[in-house]
Amino acid sequence: MRFIWLFLILVVLVVLPFAVWGDQFSKYFNLQNTSAVLMEPGRAWAWIVGIGLLLLDLVLPIPGTVVMSALGFIYGPWIGGVIGGAGSILSGLLAYGFCRHFGRPVARWIAGEKDLMKGELLFRGTAGGWMVSLSRWLPVFPEVISCISGLTRMPVRRFSSALACGSLPLGFAFAAIGHWGHEQPVIALALSAGLPPLLWIILGPLVMRGGENAEGESPERNS
């Protein structure tokens, strides 16, 4: 199945910066250094720097979870969690939008029209929402799944909802870890890791139903 080649190529593109610069970035971007970077322009602007770093995580091996922890250290678990979750959502939307609008010809060349259509069926169905939501908690996969969602033109509403279901709990989890000084990271992760599937179980059917109605009214909306 040529669609697998598309997936593997995206994985390589995401992993490559980590292989080249991963050690340098991981040594520099610890909680203390990252907090200092965010605070350099002042506390009032630290959230903008944090979101910027989360967006750069698409192309550079910046540890996004450390950035979220630093946001929690600076702003507390609630505000820091909202900022971290929003940054993760914007990062996913950027990858999705870029691939949806500019990557389609390349994807068609790699996967072929037939296999690309199979990928579209997969990501337009229930499995697509689950993959987007749960991928936010895994290394490499957030960027890869967001890109594939754009390449297969997963409905924007469905993608955004699933993205939020995964990104917001992630932001709150690591903001809490940063705020509480890594005292109880296992509890924070265990509680928040269970929220993405729970949220998607609740919201998924509603989004799917709304998306099907919209597609029935106007098939060209998702093209």
Side-chain angles (χ1 to χ4, degrees):
M1 186 177 179
R2 291 171 61 183
F3 190 75
I4 298 296
W5 283 107
L6 178 62
F7 177 83
L8 292 176
I9 289 172
L10 287 171
V11 169
V12 170
L13 291 176
V14 172
V15 170
L16 189 60
F18 284 89
V20 177
W21 302 299
D23 288 341
Q24 296 92 320
F25 275 75
S26 62
K27 289 177 182 177
Y28 181 77
F29 281 98
N30 55 44
L31 181 59
Q32 183 177 356
N33 288 343
T34 304
S35 299
V37 170
L38 297 185
M39 288 291 287
E40 188 172 345
R43 187 175 184 276
W45 302 100
W47 65 276
I48 295 179
V49 180
I51 289 177
L53 289 174
L54 291 173
L55 293 178
L56 285 174
D57 187 32
L58 287 171
V59 293
L60 294 175
I62 296 173
T65 53
V66 176
V67 175
M68 293 178 186
S69 294
L71 288 168
F73 178 77
I74 295 169
Y75 293 108
W78 299 111
I79 296 177
V82 170
I83 297 171
S88 179
I89 291 172
L90 289 174
S91 175
L93 288 174
L94 179 61
Y96 170 89
F98 181 85
C99 290
R100 181 183 177 111
H101 292 291
F102 301 107
R104 182 77 174 187
V106 177
R108 187 182 293 112
W109 177 71
I110 294 172
E113 189 67 37
K114 184 178 179 180
D115 276 15
L116 194 57
M117 289 180 65
K118 292 180 181 178
E120 288 180 356
L121 292 175
L122 175 65
F123 275 81
R124 287 172 182 262
T126 305
W130 282 106
M131 285 189 284
V132 172
S133 179
L134 298 178
S135 70
R136 307 311 291 178
W137 287 83
L138 302 172
V140 178
F141 280 90
E143 296 86 355
V144 172
I145 296 299
S146 293
C147 287
I148 291 183
S149 298
L151 294 174
T152 57
R153 295 182 176 176
M154 183 178 181
V156 177
R157 179 181 176 183
R158 190 172 304 163
F159 174 79
S160 302
S161 300
L163 181 66
C165 287
S167 295
L168 289 175
L170 182 71
F172 283 116
F174 284 96
I177 290 171
H179 177 69
W180 289 317
H182 298 265
E183 291 178 1
Q184 295 179 320
V186 175
I187 296 176
L189 283 173
L191 290 174
S192 296
L195 288 179
L198 178 61
L199 289 174
W200 188 245
I201 287 173
I202 297 170
L203 295 179
L206 299 176
V207 174
M208 292 283 290
R209 191 178 302 117
E212 288 169 358
N213 292 339
E215 289 168 15
E217 294 171 3
S218 178
E220 295 179 0
R221 288 185 185 180
N222 294 320
S223 62

